[in-house]
Amino acid sequence: MQKVQESLLERGAGRTGQASKRIGVARRTKRQQQEERIGWLFVSPFVIGFVLFTVGPMLVSFVLSFTDASMLKPAVFVGLENYTTLFSTDEIRSLFWRTLYNTSYYVLISVPLGMALGFGMAILLNQKLRGQGIYRTLFYLPSIIPPVAVSLLWVWIFHQEFGLLNAALRVVGIDGPAWLTSTTWAKPALILVSLWGAGGGLLVFLAGLQGVSTDLYDAAKVDGAGAWSRFWRVTIPMMSPTLFFVLVTSIISSFQVFVTALIMTNGGPANATLMYVLYLYRLAFVQFRMGPASALAWAYFVIIMGFAGLLFATGRAWVYYESDLLGGKKQ
Amino acid sequence: MTAIARSRALPSSLRLTMSYLVLTVGAVIILIPFIWMVSTSLKPPTELFIYPPRLFPTVIRWQNYLEAPSASFIPLRLAVWNSLLFAIPVAFFDVLSSAIVAFGFARLRFRGSNVLFFIVLSTMMLPPQVTMIPLFILFSRLGWVNTYLPLVVQALFGWNYAIFLLRQFFASIPEELDNAARIDGCGWGGIFLRIHLPLAKAALGIVAILSFTGSWSEYLRPLIYLKNPLLWPLALALQTFQGGKTNRWEYLMVMSILLTIPPLVLFFVAQRRYIQGIVISGVKG
């Protein structure tokens, strides 16, 4: 990321420099014009794709959200009805608040816990250890398994009588619950599955830690800082861009939880694990109520962007940028 | 000062031993579900539902691996073929289109390129579900439901992660090489094809692998667009077992393992660069 910014700066500086210095203006401009055309040609696939598959669909879905569109009959304009229905607290009309609660519960527990685990393990790994690579691979392994396979495996692990988890709990004298059919335990069960895959963040943290200059630690040692204060005064500030980056991306990606909720519990029991995207999927592709589903999708967009905006606003207060723009990639 | 001295005096060998201990416990916890997966896949039905459950089977039943694929509602070979049928074209087009776009951002100077690159980065934060409904309506109007086209066509227009990753890579190639090629008479196209693409082979390989494993594991879009079970990729076909209510967990685990093997093999084949790719883009493909 550092490189991006550097090269962006270089480029900006280069352009003003060129304008004032060049003497062979006409020839230069012609070449520049050509470069400009070819530049746009190279990036045109992205531009076309962005208009066709992002901007266009978002506008269409905005319009659809004010209609009663379904796949069966022509759409009729219904004004704000989809939105008023959506935000209704009457659960027969809309499960919006329920799904928002479920998803927030999931995100607000699984993201901090997952990050803490990943960061903790990364710090332990970032020492002169033998087998560092092996540990790193082992921790990352669950992230490679397709989510469907992960879900099926954990359904079996959570099996009340014959599952592995309750067998382990029995050893320590705990009578485990019926995880996936209990309204109390179904959400924690999904969180547990997400924690098993927390190794993705670990990779990014480890790379970030390895990029923190040892000079800083040496300087802190000379100043008499113990391990604890070196951690808080050096590691945390230097890692704050990486922590921030992982925080934002994990919140956005765990807000999209779908496959585990669909396969492991199908939203049940009693809607206890009905997550936002699962509800969106049901409205749009099971009930084919495209109008209300579009309203739900737009609300989703606003929520995600609101979250991201909030994070970026508060991020200024605690993220320490040495020189880079967004993430903490030192390479 | 004495307190600090003491904390520093804490023998580093003890600290290392503690670290090894915690890491090993963590690794074992991570590994146990894998062991359970493999051991279940090798158990005879009689050992599946015993109380208390055993982590390791007493009898190993290899036949499960022969029986499970034929017990599937959708033949395994067909499901694998279906997966490859869209995952390979997607990987190919992802590499090609993203490399072209990334080169434009890395090397060519044109007005608006900074803003446009910022848009590329922003789209990484946009959840795909936001555009899912209109795209479904569009593709079904085009008559593309029950084809792989909706899954493939977007790959023609670049993949944001890959654009970012490859742009970083191309930008690190020394510009002297471009100039040398230009003196030899290459235009921008020649510089891209003869200098950048060959030098970026490893990075392109990683993009292909991340794209392929992403498609191989993908669930939501195939579920929406493929109504005909005979078109289902393996990730989706796995479902039909569970739907069978047969409680054949040993078969289900066999199939889950078969689904996991390709991504796992690709990961180990390209491990070092795979990890680099994930770290640079900050997310898994």
Side-chain angles (χ1 to χ4, degrees):
Chain A
M1 203 50 103
Q2 198 171 1
K3 267 191 187 156
V4 181
Q5 201 199 21
E6 273 167 15
S7 71
L8 293 185
L9 288 175
E10 267 166 30
R11 208 172 282 176
R15 195 169 298 141
T16 46
Q18 274 162 20
S20 56
K21 275 184 197 163
R22 302 286 169 196
I23 304 167
V25 178
R27 224 181 121 237
R28 182 70 202 163
T29 313
K30 203 174 171 192
R31 221 188 117 185
Q32 269 181 338
Q33 273 176 353
Q34 192 204 16
E35 187 174 341
E36 173 127 3
R37 270 203 311 276
I38 295 176
W40 277 96
L41 200 65
F42 268 101
V43 299
S44 63
F46 173 77
V47 178
I48 296 168
F50 181 63
V51 172
L52 234 51
F53 299 119
T54 303
V55 179
M58 285 197 67
L59 293 177
V60 171
S61 108
F62 187 67
V63 173
L64 282 178
S65 72
F66 299 100
T67 70
D68 68 346
S70 71
M71 293 302 283
L72 309 167
K73 54 180 177 51
V76 174
F77 184 73
V78 293
L80 285 171
E81 197 189 299
N82 288 331
Y83 288 95
T84 50
T85 310
L86 190 64
F87 300 136
S88 152
T89 47
D90 177 3
E91 290 212 340
I92 294 163
R93 297 174 69 200
S94 166
L95 288 164
F96 171 79
W97 294 109
R98 171 66 70 102
T99 60
L100 193 61
Y101 168 75
N102 289 343
T103 316
S104 309
Y105 181 107
Y106 176 84
V107 171
L108 291 178
I109 295 177
S110 77
V111 170
L113 274 182
M115 281 183 68
L117 279 174
F119 194 48
M121 289 295 173
I123 284 173
L124 290 182
L125 264 183
N126 189 37
Q127 303 180 71
K128 289 196 183 79
L129 291 180
R130 241 176 295 166
Q132 194 190 48
I134 296 168
Y135 281 114
R136 187 175 65 172
T137 304
L138 282 178
F139 287 132
Y140 188 66
L141 225 46
S143 311
I144 303 165
I145 308 183
V148 194
V150 171
S151 307
L152 291 172
L153 169 61
W154 280 89
V155 171
W156 180 222
I157 290 175
F158 283 128
H159 194 289
Q160 190 183 8
E161 281 170 90
F162 306 110
L164 190 62
L165 185 60
N166 281 356
L169 289 176
R170 241 171 267 131
V171 172
V172 288
I174 300 171
D175 199 16
W179 292 90
L180 299 177
T181 49
S182 143
T183 47
T184 324
W185 291 104
K187 273 193 283 279
L190 294 190
I191 290 169
L192 211 59
V193 177
S194 84
L195 293 181
W196 189 54
L202 183 144
L203 284 190
V204 182
F205 288 135
L206 189 59
L209 286 169
Q210 285 166 348
V212 178
S213 158
T214 46
D215 296 353
L216 289 170
Y217 289 111
D218 293 341
K221 263 187 197 168
V222 169
D223 291 347
W228 188 245
S229 77
R230 284 201 303 274
F231 174 74
W232 284 105
R233 303 275 169 86
V234 180
T235 310
I236 291 289
M238 293 307 289
M239 283 295 288
S240 60
T242 310
L243 286 164
F244 180 70
F245 178 76
V246 174
L247 179 68
V248 174
T249 51
S250 335
I251 285 182
I252 292 176
S253 68
S254 65
F255 218 90
Q256 297 174 28
V257 55
F258 172 75
V259 175
T260 43
L262 176 74
I263 290 179
M264 296 183 66
T265 53
N266 196 11
N271 293 330
T273 58
L274 186 64
M275 298 297 171
Y276 204 104
V277 174
L278 182 56
Y279 186 46
L280 182 65
Y281 164 77
R282 277 195 192 164
L283 275 189
F285 302 105
V286 178
Q287 304 171 7
F288 290 103
R289 293 165 64 203
M290 297 300 187
S294 296
L296 192 66
W298 259 91
Y300 180 55
F301 175 68
V302 171
I303 291 167
I304 292 272
M305 290 302 117
F307 245 123
L310 201 71
L311 284 173
F312 277 105
T314 59
R316 284 173 206 286
W318 62 272
V319 180
Y320 168 75
Y321 291 110
E322 197 180 16
S323 64
D324 46 358
L325 190 67
L326 261 175
K329 302 293 118 30
K330 315 266 190 306
Q331 35 157 10
Chain B
M1 198 60 203
T2 50
I4 292 160
R6 207 179 304 136
S7 83
R8 275 186 65 193
L10 184 90
S12 64
S13 63
L14 180 66
R15 219 181 56 209
L16 274 185
T17 314
M18 293 289 284
S19 302
Y20 273 121
L21 197 70
V22 175
L23 287 168
T24 307
V25 168
V28 168
I29 291 174
I30 295 266
L31 272 181
I32 285 176
F34 282 103
I35 297 170
W36 181 242
M37 190 181 194
V38 175
S39 90
T40 302
S41 78
L42 292 169
K43 279 179 181 172
T46 46
E47 280 201 39
L48 229 43
F49 299 101
I50 47 167
Y51 190 92
R54 288 196 196 117
L55 189 52
F56 297 101
T58 48
V59 188
I60 288 180
R61 194 168 184 279
W62 293 104
Q63 294 99 296
N64 288 343
Y65 278 77
L66 296 174
E67 290 169 9
S70 49
S72 167
F73 169 65
I74 302 155
L76 174 75
R77 225 180 295 169
L78 180 66
V80 170
W81 173 246
N82 289 340
S83 295
L84 297 177
L85 216 54
F86 77 94
I88 289 176
V90 167
F92 176 77
F93 291 127
D94 265 340
V95 169
L96 190 72
S97 59
S98 309
I100 292 172
V101 174
F103 180 77
F105 281 122
R107 276 301 195 258
L108 285 120
R109 284 162 204 188
F110 57 96
R111 259 170 292 159
S113 81
N114 293 356
V115 176
L116 208 58
F117 192 64
F118 182 74
I119 292 176
V120 174
L121 297 182
S122 323
T123 57
M124 291 193 206
M125 301 213 306
L126 191 73
Q129 294 87 5
V130 169
T131 55
M132 196 166 70
I133 293 163
L135 285 180
F136 178 78
I137 295 173
L138 171 72
F139 291 139
S140 54
R141 288 268 166 86
L142 291 169
W144 288 1
V145 170
N146 279 330
T147 73
Y148 298 110
L149 285 170
L151 308 175
V152 176
V153 76
Q154 288 184 62
L156 293 169
F157 300 92
W159 174 29
N160 46 17
Y161 292 107
I163 293 172
F164 176 61
L165 202 127
L166 292 174
R167 186 216 166 276
Q168 298 294 83
F169 191 87
F170 290 148
S172 71
I173 293 173
E175 274 197 65
E176 289 78 40
L177 291 177
D178 294 18
N179 295 334
R182 204 170 282 128
I183 290 164
D184 290 344
C186 279
W188 286 109
I191 293 170
F192 172 61
L193 288 173
R194 299 209 185 141
I195 308 288
H196 285 246
L197 279 192
L199 283 175
K201 256 183 218 148
L204 298 174
I206 282 309
V207 169
I209 287 178
L210 288 175
S211 163
F212 178 86
T213 51
S215 303
W216 179 269
S217 315
E218 192 170 3
Y219 194 84
L220 181 53
R221 286 193 309 156
L223 179 67
I224 291 170
Y225 287 109
L226 305 171
K227 304 288 176 200
N228 178 357
L230 291 176
L231 296 171
W232 283 355
L234 187 57
L236 211 53
L238 215 55
Q239 261 289 69
T240 54
F241 265 100
Q242 205 196 15
K245 298 160 207 105
T246 46
N247 265 332
R248 299 305 295 263
W249 284 102
E250 76 280 31
Y251 288 175
L252 205 51
M253 289 302 117
V254 168
M255 298 302 277
S256 299
I257 289 169
L258 294 180
L259 180 73
T260 305
I261 285 173
L264 211 59
V265 168
L266 286 173
F267 172 76
F268 281 111
V269 164
Q271 197 179 359
R272 199 171 56 86
R273 296 202 178 269
Y274 191 110
I275 288 174
Q276 273 174 355
I278 283 153
V279 168
I280 291 171
S281 59
V283 270
K284 59 170 179 157

